[in-house]
Amino acid sequence: MKAVKMMDNLYLNDFTRGIFKENPTFRLVLGMCPTLAITVLVKNGLGMGLAVVAVLACSNVVISSLRRFIPEQVRIPCYIVIIATFVTIIEMVLQAFIPALYDALGVFVPLIVVNCIILGRAEAFAGKQPVLRSLCDGIGSGLGFTLGLLLLSLVREIFGNGTLLAETNYAIQLFGPNFEPMRIFAQPAGAFIVLGLLLALTNIIFKRFQID
Amino acid sequence: MEKLISILFIYILVDNFVLQRFFGICPFLGVSRKMETAMGMGMAVVFVITLSTLVTWLIHYYILVPLGLEFLQLVTFILVIAGLVQLVEIFLRKASPTLYQGLGIYLPLITTNCAVLAVALLAVRQEFTLLESVVFGIAASLGFWMALVIMSGIRERLELTKVPGPLQGTAITLITAGILSLAFMGFRGMLTF
């Protein structure tokens, strides 16, 4: 009974670590390019986040199951080829089924290949740990990344566009007709500044609750 | 000729790869602490991007397109880039050990610098000719280098100032980058193709 519980904890720990303690966006500050670039609307942020979850889960599982066969010296090129394969698949799926999202994300869809989070998890975790734990870790880290994108895009969409979930079926106009959107939030400069402030905020929260 | 010059200036100033397009943010935040490493990283990136754009363009138009293998674009491009980075690493280790030490882990990380792959992919997507692609690569990497050097100059001064606790580290760097990006917005619309 106790053994079972410990097993559960192990997987749960792998899963939650990526979301809170080692959140890719706020704690590790990895994968900044898509984080800053495509978070103008919540829809894009969520789409990118889920695409990364899919790639990260698949690549972690494959890399972890091949970890005994990949030679130490050429592991990075091997990891990259595996990741690139899954990104190509995701790219084709998006292009075929959600073309609007594919157009909105633009070149950042193929650029998931060079998202440091994915290679980072492969190198730090999946290359050494068993398959199931790697899967939990992949999904957790991916969701942590999605959380970061979601928060940033929420702030930027609310202030920069005055809407919530624009370009979806659930679009809400938040302010009255006289609301003048603060365009700076939708601009590159706004992305940097909002993310900087969010980082400071998480620093305060983590310090207050002593999570480190 | 006119187009080449406008590509050069657009991607250095107007559409700066780091501050306006968000490519290569990780090394931008990671290596911009000291002017010296920023210079070294910038040079390495200029070299890798120019070379990789040339090679990937040739591979795309002379191997992938004739054979109908465009879906392998991503895998081939990233492999070419990884190989080139390895080459630069070997060269630097022999030629300039101090610079090699200074760049540390960031040199192999040029592989995952999204600016490199982005230039290769965008050159093909925007249907640039070979010469235009190379100029595009040079311009994008010079823009990256410039942003990196400006940022490292600011950060060297920032070290000496008192920054409020929670803002220390990456947070203040991001806000500084935001203000820099704001300044670069002044170039917007000055040049188009």
Side-chain angles (χ1 to χ4, degrees):
Chain A
M1 191 64 198
K2 210 170 184 183
V4 172
K5 206 171 178 193
M6 260 182 68
M7 288 286 278
D8 275 349
N9 278 344
L10 196 63
Y11 293 122
L12 197 67
N13 189 28
D14 286 334
F15 180 69
T16 53
R17 185 184 46 229
I19 301 182
F20 299 110
K21 231 171 159 181
E22 287 182 19
N23 186 293
T25 311
F26 297 120
R27 303 306 293 170
L28 305 179
V29 201
L30 287 177
M32 284 295 108
C33 307
T35 308
L36 291 161
I38 51 91
T39 47
V40 179
L41 297 175
V42 170
K43 189 195 76 171
N44 297 351
L46 203 59
M48 173 55 95
L50 294 180
V52 170
V53 172
V55 173
L56 193 51
C58 296
S59 70
N60 258 10
V61 166
V62 171
I63 286 168
S64 163
S65 43
L66 291 176
R67 69 186 185 281
R68 291 186 215 286
F69 304 103
I70 296 176
E72 179 78 16
Q73 290 87 0
V74 289
R75 65 183 192 286
I76 301 279
C78 294
Y79 294 167
I80 287 183
V81 171
I82 292 169
I83 296 167
T85 310
F86 284 112
V87 173
T88 309
I89 294 171
I90 288 284
E91 194 182 353
M92 287 172 170
V93 169
L94 281 182
Q95 205 169 4
F97 294 104
I98 327 176
L101 185 65
Y102 177 78
D103 289 337
L105 297 180
V107 77
F108 282 96
V109 179
L111 285 184
I112 296 176
V113 177
V114 285
N115 192 322
C116 335
I117 300 166
I118 298 177
L119 196 61
R121 289 332 289 172
E123 174 79 3
F125 201 90
K128 300 181 192 100
Q129 305 292 345
V131 176
L132 208 54
R133 284 189 68 188
S134 300
L135 178 67
C136 293
D137 176 78
I139 296 177
S141 294
L143 285 180
F145 179 64
T146 313
L147 184 73
L149 289 181
L150 208 56
L151 276 177
L152 186 59
S153 56
L154 257 180
V155 176
R156 288 184 71 191
E157 187 177 338
I158 289 173
F159 291 109
N161 208 18
T163 55
L164 207 59
L165 297 168
E167 292 180 22
T168 64
N169 295 333
Y170 310 100
I172 306 167
Q173 198 74 34
L174 285 176
F175 307 104
N178 291 328
F179 174 73
E180 197 64 47
M182 292 170 240
R183 288 269 173 245
I184 187 68
F185 281 93
Q187 301 288 351
F192 280 118
I193 294 173
V194 172
L195 186 62
L197 293 176
L198 281 178
L199 267 178
L201 195 69
T202 42
N203 282 346
I204 294 174
I205 293 172
F206 271 68
K207 204 168 175 201
R208 171 73 48 89
F209 294 103
Q210 310 267 328
I211 301 182
D212 270 323
Chain B
M1 195 61 209
E2 214 171 277
K3 194 176 177 193
L4 292 182
I5 294 173
S6 57
I7 287 178
L8 196 63
F9 281 99
I10 283 175
Y11 286 103
I12 292 178
L13 293 175
V14 183
D15 243 352
N16 186 288
F17 248 47
V18 178
L19 298 168
Q20 299 296 328
R21 301 289 293 271
F22 302 117
F23 296 121
I25 301 288
C26 294
F28 176 67
L29 297 177
V31 220
S32 61
R33 203 158 291 157
K34 273 205 190 119
M35 185 70 93
E36 205 191 335
T37 43
M39 291 295 279
M41 181 73 175
M43 260 188 288
V45 166
V46 171
F47 183 71
V48 171
I49 286 189
T50 312
L51 213 58
S52 73
T53 317
L54 182 74
V55 175
T56 51
W57 193 93
L58 290 174
I59 286 178
H60 186 261
Y61 283 103
Y62 288 102
I63 297 178
L64 295 183
V65 172
L67 296 177
L69 292 173
E70 283 99 333
F71 65 92
L72 284 179
Q73 193 192 43
L74 199 54
V75 182
T76 22
F77 281 18
I78 193 72
L79 273 180
V80 167
I81 292 168
L84 276 174
V85 170
Q86 202 80 47
L87 209 71
V88 173
E89 198 180 338
I90 294 168
F91 174 76
L92 266 188
R93 199 185 303 171
K94 282 268 181 281
S96 168
T98 29
L99 188 60
Y100 178 76
Q101 288 283 321
L103 290 177
I105 59 158
Y106 286 100
L107 198 55
L109 282 186
I110 295 183
T111 311
T112 53
N113 180 342
C114 49
V116 185
L117 187 60
V119 171
L121 288 171
L122 286 174
V124 171
R125 284 193 178 194
Q126 297 181 337
E127 290 167 357
F128 283 151
T129 62
L130 181 59
L131 194 59
E132 285 165 2
S133 304
V134 173
V135 172
F136 172 47
I138 293 172
S141 49
L142 283 181
F144 174 81
W145 190 359
M146 184 182 67
L148 200 62
V149 168
I150 295 177
M151 194 65 198
S152 65
I154 298 177
R155 279 184 82 175
E156 278 186 355
R157 300 234 167 160
L158 216 55
E159 295 266 293
L160 306 172
T161 55
K162 230 174 150 184
V163 178
L167 279 172
Q168 266 164 15
T170 321
I172 192 71
T173 314
L174 278 169
I175 292 172
T176 315
I179 296 168
L180 255 181
S181 164
L182 208 57
F184 269 78
M185 269 170 70
F187 290 113
R188 185 165 298 174
M190 277 171 78
L191 273 172
T192 44
F193 288 131

